[in-house]
Amino acid sequence: MNYVERMQRVAVLGAAGKMGSGILFLNLVECADLSLLPENKGKTFIVYAVDISEEALDGLLMYVKSQLRKVAEKKINWLREVYQSRQDLIENAEIINEYIDYVLSKLRLVTTIESSYNANIIFEAIKEDPHLKVSVLKNINENNKNKPWFFTNTSSIPIQYLNEQANLEGRIIGYHFYNPPVVQKLVELISAKNTLPEIKEFSYKLAERLNKTIVESNDIVGFIGNGHFMRDILHAVNEVNNLLNKFTFPEAVYIMNKVSQEYLIRPMGIFQLIDYVGIDVCSYIMNVMSEHLKDNNLKCNLLENMLANGIKGGQYADGSQKDGFLKYDKGKIVGVYDINSNQYIPLSDIQEKCDAALGQKPQKLIPWKTLINQKDKEPILTEIFNEMKNINTLGSKLAITYGLKSKEIAKNLVTSGVAKTEEDVNKVLITGFYHAYGPINNFFD
Amino acid sequence: MRKKVFLTAGYNTISMGSGRKEFNPKLPRPELEDYIKEAGQGVIKQIPDASLIDEVIISNFMAARYNKQANLAAFAPYIDEKLRYKPATRVEGACGSGGLALAVAIKTILSDFADVILVIGVEVQNTVKAVYGSDILAGAGWFKDRKNGHAHYFPGKFSERAGKYFEKFGRLDTRKAMATWYKNAIENARLCPTAQEYHNTTPDLFSLAMTEPNPKVFLDNLTVYDCSKVSDGASAVLVVSEEGLKKIGKSYSDAVEIIGIGQAIDDITKAPQDLTQLLTTKEAVNKALNMAGVSKDDIATIECHDCFTIAGIMSVEAIGLANHGEGWKFVLDGHTSREGKIPFNTTGGLIGWGHPVGATGIHQAVTIWEQLTGKANQAQIKINKPYGLSVNMGGDDKTVTSIVYKKI
């Protein structure tokens, strides 16, 4: 089966979830685009969106439709070529509408797992639960006569574990997209011990077609991305605890969120990122990592306490942010959670005091949005962080320590064999987390 | 001219769209009728009373699609209720609508039907994304040619023209001239608070405009810097007889005299005879200059139709300031800049000030009026010659109106 033949039947499991919907969308567009090529005329392409929730599938259709329009508008030049012989399609709007309808015609929304018995390849993006994953993969493998290939989006479970437990004979690979899959360029690729070489080859071909960058990670739980992120969380929480002798809990959270975003020039502060991913998801990944790595340091009581209070973060079906460590209004941070009183403190109540405590902001500091568009970032960053090293404010000190810790975590990922090279770690943070610079650098030394 | 015709009391709204700080495509903005009202009242405030206006002409290209609105003439009384029951006409000639409206006004004055005519041009384009706007703008060409055209139909047409010009007269030099055109346009726009590029702070405009075109995302031979912008805006002005000028209490020094007008059209169903020339523009300019009895050397400033930088260069040739194939050099040598031999588009033109399609022809007239009467404020150039010239082009060199103005 060549690439195109394999793409003729795709199933995405958990297709209505946060990651699943993006993975579904990317595959759907790829299948439709392949089918529009003259050499594939007459071939049928079908993408099964499998999810247990009918409500979520309903929302998925709306999501796919709105994303499709954006995609179609961007590739209008290509679409005009594709529809050149259709005399009835003249204006851009007509062509775009036709394309949207056409792509949707490749989509099957289903709630039953049986549909994936027909698929050649299966993308798995269901709940991050090892037992559930194993039973689903096993079920499909036993009932699907095509000897399907499995692409799992797990961010924490070893691929070898899934391979063995579900008897997949090496027909599985970790194909870990970053959130949101439609936007983030990174795919972490993780092979099990006996993953078939042709699956790996296919993986690269698919990534190229989807315009994604692959970084290979070794099969150690957490892989590179979460291997860094989880320890980054632990550092931030540790700093919050240190700050508690001078600040209240919400103040400390505000301070660390601000330092990790504005001072380190990242797209989001650490606590906003935890909310974005979901406190429950973060806690879950950390526990799985702790268990597999037998590392008791990979524990975070704060996350557990938040969950015990019913604070979970994550997103609503329409993609808007749920409250977590921070409170949001139309995507903007407006408050910080106080774990003692179990309520949100308005930002305006603490901002002034905390900003004053952080001290004079470095003058050279620029927002992430500005930095990300600069061609040569190195000299700009050197200048900014040199200034930071020379001013003795709380904000600068926290930032420098944070940057150094992030570097240490990243380096450990290489020495402990998770990542193959330092470059790979930097690539993951830049393409998967949208950082403007990699954690392994000399800015903070 | 069988009698004297004057132009006075001009007004421009802001040219709104990307580039303006206050522009946010997600928030509500002024709409079609708001622009008509603002521009109309902007003129009326400069005269004693709206009842002195005998007639209204509204120029607009495609409100029927951008704003789902037709019958624009009936918006005249919305500006001022004293215009109720007055005659009003809407005029359309694609991007050349404004020029046509002025032509209609001039002819109406000459035919003794009116003494004071309010001419308003308007377009509100930011109601749709550019990819759909391209469909609407394509209506300025022959619809039967749309299918074979580029997704961005008109930019595609002028990209073809640029490609041919590159081939014949050299790519690098021409691109440098196009980048110079862009630089001049933005620098002029920075002097005019209503210009769409007024807030532009890019330090090195020339280098930016030398960015290589990317056919995959846009066009073979043009970048976005070579294109005029998508704009919302309106311009208005009074066209009056000598008696009209007295009626509204304006002195001669507040007005410019219109001493020549040239109109020319070409067949919309036919491709340009020569892609490297604007032959219809040439014809219209010649007619206007001949009628005025003015040589191009007596002109102090020109507003030309630079919907694309390459159109600016070709306009220089069509007006006769450079030989065919040498317009790029004239521009590159700085002759069209505000300190040059003959300053072009002193408030930014279509590239810098903006291109609210139906308003553009009127905006050009208002700018010349401002310059010749010393009302251009920061954008004011030194006027040591008595004449101004405007060229307004509809479609791909199809519907062109050129006007010669005289400082009084």
Side-chain angles (χ1 to χ4, degrees):
Chain A
M1 229 185 263
N2 62 23
Y3 176 78
V4 171
E5 286 163 343
R6 215 156 263 289
M7 290 302 289
Q8 282 186 259
R9 294 290 183 283
V10 178
V12 179
L13 312 178
K18 186 160 67 171
M19 296 301 289
S21 55
I23 296 169
L24 181 273
F25 179 79
L26 290 168
N27 276 287
L28 178 63
V29 171
E30 168 64 356
C31 287
D33 285 359
L34 283 174
S35 78
L36 281 169
L37 297 176
E39 61 265 34
N40 295 328
K41 210 176 169 189
K43 292 178 189 157
T44 311
F45 289 77
I46 293 173
V47 181
Y48 298 101
V50 188
D51 203 285
I52 47 169
S53 161
E54 278 184 335
E55 289 77 17
L57 284 172
D58 205 31
L60 174 68
L61 193 57
M62 300 315 291
Y63 164 78
V64 169
K65 269 187 153 177
S66 70
Q67 284 294 323
L68 265 179
R69 180 162 291 281
K70 286 186 203 163
V71 164
E73 286 167 354
K74 270 194 195 145
K75 53 184 178 196
I76 183 64
N77 283 359
W78 181 70
L79 290 176
R80 286 192 77 91
E81 266 173 50
V82 166
Y83 291 111
Q84 184 57 41
S85 60
R86 285 280 300 271
Q87 289 306 317
D88 58 322
L89 302 175
I90 296 170
E91 299 205 310
N92 293 341
E94 292 165 336
I95 288 167
I96 286 166
N97 289 338
E98 169 67 23
Y99 176 73
I100 293 171
D101 286 348
Y102 180 79
V103 179
L104 288 174
S105 77
K106 308 286 149 208
L107 177 62
R108 305 286 182 275
L109 301 176
V110 289
T111 50
T112 48
I113 194 89
E114 285 80 359
S115 309
S116 37
Y117 297 171
N118 280 332
N120 302 327
I121 55 179
I122 294 159
F123 282 86
E124 175 277 305
I126 61 175
K127 199 169 167 234
E128 198 70 354
D129 174 342
H131 303 294
L132 179 68
K133 281 196 201 257
V134 166
S135 86
V136 168
L137 296 185
K138 202 170 172 187
N139 171 320
I140 296 172
N141 191 47
E142 282 167 1
N143 291 288
N144 184 320
K145 296 195 182 79
N146 304 336
K147 289 214 172 268
W149 291 354
F150 295 91
F151 296 78
T152 172
N153 191 55
T154 182
S155 52
S156 55
I157 305 166
I159 311 305
Q160 182 61 22
Y161 172 85
L162 295 173
N163 184 35
E164 278 169 10
Q165 300 291 311
N167 291 325
L168 302 179
E169 306 161 312
R171 279 179 287 106
I172 183 169
I173 200 160
Y175 210 77
H176 182 216
F177 287 91
Y178 274 70
N179 188 16
V182 175
V183 177
Q184 301 283 14
K185 283 259 173 275
L186 178 69
V187 169
E188 261 182 304
L189 193 69
I190 309 107
S191 298
K193 272 181 200 154
N194 61 339
T195 290
L196 301 176
E198 50 268 39
I199 296 188
K200 202 165 154 182
E201 201 183 309
F202 176 95
S203 297
Y204 272 92
K205 167 96 185 169
L206 178 67
E208 192 194 320
R209 292 274 313 171
L210 301 182
N211 196 17
K212 300 288 172 199
T213 306
I214 280 188
V215 173
E216 288 190 39
S217 165
N218 287 324
D219 193 13
I220 297 173
V221 281
F223 314 125
I224 300 173
N226 283 325
H228 185 276
F229 177 37
M230 292 302 133
R231 295 174 175 97
D232 220 31
I233 293 177
L234 289 170
H235 171 70
V237 170
N238 201 25
E239 291 283 32
V240 164
N241 288 333
N242 294 339
L243 289 168
L244 286 180
N245 54 29
K246 279 192 188 152
F247 298 93
T248 64
F249 177 78
E251 287 167 353
V253 167
Y254 169 84
I255 285 173
M256 287 319 294
N257 194 64
K258 182 167 172 137
V259 165
S260 52
Q261 177 174 20
E262 290 177 30
Y263 283 69
L264 291 176
I265 327 177
R266 291 180 176 185
M268 279 186 192
I270 186 73
F271 288 103
Q272 188 183 0
L273 183 60
I274 297 171
D275 289 349
Y276 180 72
V277 173
I279 298 172
D280 49 350
V281 177
C282 290
S283 154
Y284 186 84
I285 294 173
M286 210 173 296
N287 287 332
V288 173
M289 283 174 66
S290 166
E291 202 178 302
H292 277 275
L293 297 174
K294 301 186 174 52
D295 181 351
N296 281 329
N297 293 325
L298 276 164
K299 288 267 180 212
C300 183
N301 291 332
L302 178 56
L303 296 184
E304 304 305 321
N305 295 340
M306 293 289 286
L307 291 174
N309 282 4
I311 308 292
K312 290 203 316 200
Q315 273 112 47
Y316 292 103
D318 68 354
S320 62
Q321 181 64 48
K322 288 182 189 170
D323 296 339
F325 278 99
L326 306 164
K327 187 178 174 64
Y328 304 87
D329 183 23
K330 289 179 191 136
K332 276 197 173 154
I333 299 168
V334 295
V336 187
Y337 183 68
D338 182 5
I339 199 153
N340 304 310
S341 64
N342 193 16
Q343 56 188 346
Y344 286 92
I345 309 298
L347 206 57
S348 49
D349 286 8
I350 56 173
Q351 200 163 18
E352 210 173 309
K353 176 188 167 189
C354 295
D355 289 351
L358 282 168
Q360 184 75 40
K361 242 196 198 179
Q363 285 172 355
K364 298 249 161 60
L365 203 57
I366 52 173
W368 172 82
K369 252 190 178 167
T370 314
L371 179 62
I372 201 79
N373 292 320
Q374 304 296 318
K375 272 182 198 145
D376 194 5
K377 302 184 182 74
E378 176 111 17
I380 303 173
L381 287 164
T382 305
E383 218 179 11
I384 293 171
F385 293 124
N386 277 345
E387 186 196 347
M388 237 180 252
K389 279 186 269 186
N390 289 325
I391 51 174
N392 194 22
T393 60
L394 177 64
S396 292
K397 277 195 279 186
L398 286 170
I400 300 294
T401 315
Y402 206 117
L404 285 170
K405 185 69 191 180
S406 175
K407 179 176 178 177
E408 183 192 316
I409 295 167
K411 285 199 147 207
N412 281 340
L413 287 171
V414 183
T415 48
S416 63
V418 177
K420 289 176 181 158
T421 64
E422 293 189 347
E423 234 182 274
D424 279 353
V425 184
N426 280 351
K427 223 181 195 180
V428 166
L429 272 294
I430 290 167
T431 54
F433 289 79
Y434 232 132
H435 284 193
Y437 58 95
I440 302 181
N441 57 60
N442 297 319
F443 301 135
F444 305 98
D445 300 328
Chain B
M1 296 261 187
R2 57 180 285 268
K3 68 184 205 184
K4 289 194 170 192
V5 181
F6 300 90
L7 193 128
T8 188
Y11 182 89
N12 298 316
T13 70
I14 284 170
S15 176
M16 185 59 72
S18 66
R20 292 290 305 191
K21 273 183 188 160
E22 63 271 53
F23 178 69
N24 180 343
K26 287 179 189 144
L27 296 180
R29 293 179 297 281
E31 297 183 52
L32 185 72
E33 54 272 31
D34 302 316
Y35 279 103
I36 294 173
K37 194 173 207 166
E38 183 194 335
Q41 291 186 343
V43 167
I44 290 169
K45 273 186 197 138
Q46 300 177 49
I47 61 172
D49 197 79
S51 61
L52 296 166
I53 294 167
D54 300 317
E55 190 158 342
V56 180
I57 297 169
I58 295 184
S59 93
N60 168 265
F61 173 36
M62 274 282 196
R65 290 196 68 185
Y66 278 121
N67 322 98
K68 312 261 187 284
Q69 180 66 61
N71 202 4
L72 298 193
F75 279 100
Y78 180 70
I79 302 166
D80 192 308
E81 58 185 23
K82 286 180 184 153
L83 297 175
R84 201 172 166 212
Y85 301 138
K86 304 246 178 185
T89 309
R90 179 260 179 93
V91 172
E92 192 274 312
C95 326
S97 302
L100 288 189
L102 290 169
V104 172
I106 291 163
K107 290 171 188 175
T108 306
I109 298 283
L110 292 177
S111 66
D112 296 336
F113 264 88
D115 285 311
V116 180
I117 301 177
L118 173 61
V119 188
I120 302 175
V122 66
E123 204 78 49
V124 174
Q125 303 185 273
N126 283 298
T127 50
V128 297
K129 280 188 178 178
V131 66
Y132 306 111
S134 288
D135 285 336
I136 297 177
L137 291 169
W142 189 29
F143 188 65
K144 289 200 173 139
D145 184 47
R146 174 70 183 115
K147 177 68 186 169
N148 296 321
H150 193 275
H152 300 286
Y153 182 80
F154 264 93
K157 290 286 162 202
F158 279 83
S159 174
E160 261 179 70
R161 280 182 173 276
K164 201 78 193 163
Y165 196 96
F166 291 170
E167 208 180 289
K168 261 182 132 168
F169 306 117
R171 184 176 189 274
L172 185 62
D173 284 334
T174 306
R175 289 209 72 229
K176 280 184 185 166
M178 288 157 69
T180 304
W181 191 276
Y182 172 77
K183 178 174 178 276
N184 292 345
I186 304 303
E187 283 175 356
N188 284 337
R190 286 173 181 165
L191 302 171
C192 177
T194 55
Q196 200 164 332
E197 291 287 353
Y198 179 61
H199 298 132
N200 186 315
T201 54
T202 307
D204 189 352
L205 294 164
F206 181 84
S207 301
L208 181 66
M210 286 301 285
T211 309
E212 276 299 317
N214 179 355
K216 233 178 146 183
V217 290
F218 197 40
L219 297 161
D220 291 345
N221 303 308
L222 301 180
T223 71
V224 290
Y225 309 109
D226 293 310
C227 304
S228 54
K229 312 203 78 171
V230 172
S231 316
D232 301 347
S235 292
V237 75
L238 292 179
V239 175
V240 300
S241 65
E242 197 151 23
E243 219 176 300
L245 201 60
K246 276 182 210 139
K247 273 193 207 166
I248 59 172
K250 287 278 172 199
S251 63
Y252 288 110
S253 63
D254 273 339
V256 289
E257 189 184 346
I258 290 170
I259 57 167
I261 175 163
Q263 280 181 265
I265 49 149
D266 197 7
D267 186 345
I268 196 172
T269 69
K270 295 210 167 67
Q273 191 184 321
D274 177 354
L275 285 173
T276 63
Q277 292 195 75
L278 300 175
L279 294 171
T280 318
T281 296
K282 192 173 178 177
E283 192 67 30
V285 171
N286 280 340
K287 281 187 191 179
L289 288 174
N290 283 340
M291 183 176 182
V294 164
S295 140
K296 59 184 188 298
D297 300 323
D298 296 327
I299 296 168
T301 180
I302 295 176
E303 289 294 306
C304 82
H305 199 93
D306 62 336
C307 42
F308 303 93
T309 52
I310 189 69
I313 289 164
M314 289 185 187
S315 296
V316 168
E317 296 176 13
I319 293 164
L321 292 164
N323 290 328
H324 180 215
E326 292 172 3
W328 63 267
K329 194 167 184 311
F330 192 83
V331 174
L332 204 51
D333 288 345
H335 298 318
T336 59
S337 81
R338 61 189 302 107
E339 292 89 18
K341 253 191 217 171
I342 177 150
F344 268 67
N345 299 5
T346 55
T347 56
L350 282 64
I351 303 257
W353 189 80
H355 186 23
V357 183
T360 291
I362 316 294
H363 171 255
Q364 293 176 326
V366 172
T367 303
I368 299 268
W369 167 74
E370 285 171 344
Q371 289 291 4
L372 295 186
T373 56
K375 296 180 199 297
N377 299 321
Q378 257 192 295
Q380 185 66 49
I381 53 164
K382 272 190 201 144
I383 300 292
N384 35 30
K385 290 174 185 175
Y387 304 106
L389 176 78
S390 67
V391 185
N392 185 208
M393 174 173 84
D396 186 1
D397 196 34
K398 295 304 182 200
T399 309
V400 186
T401 308
S402 179
I403 298 174
V404 181
Y405 312 77
K406 186 184 168 198
K407 179 179 157 77
I408 310 169

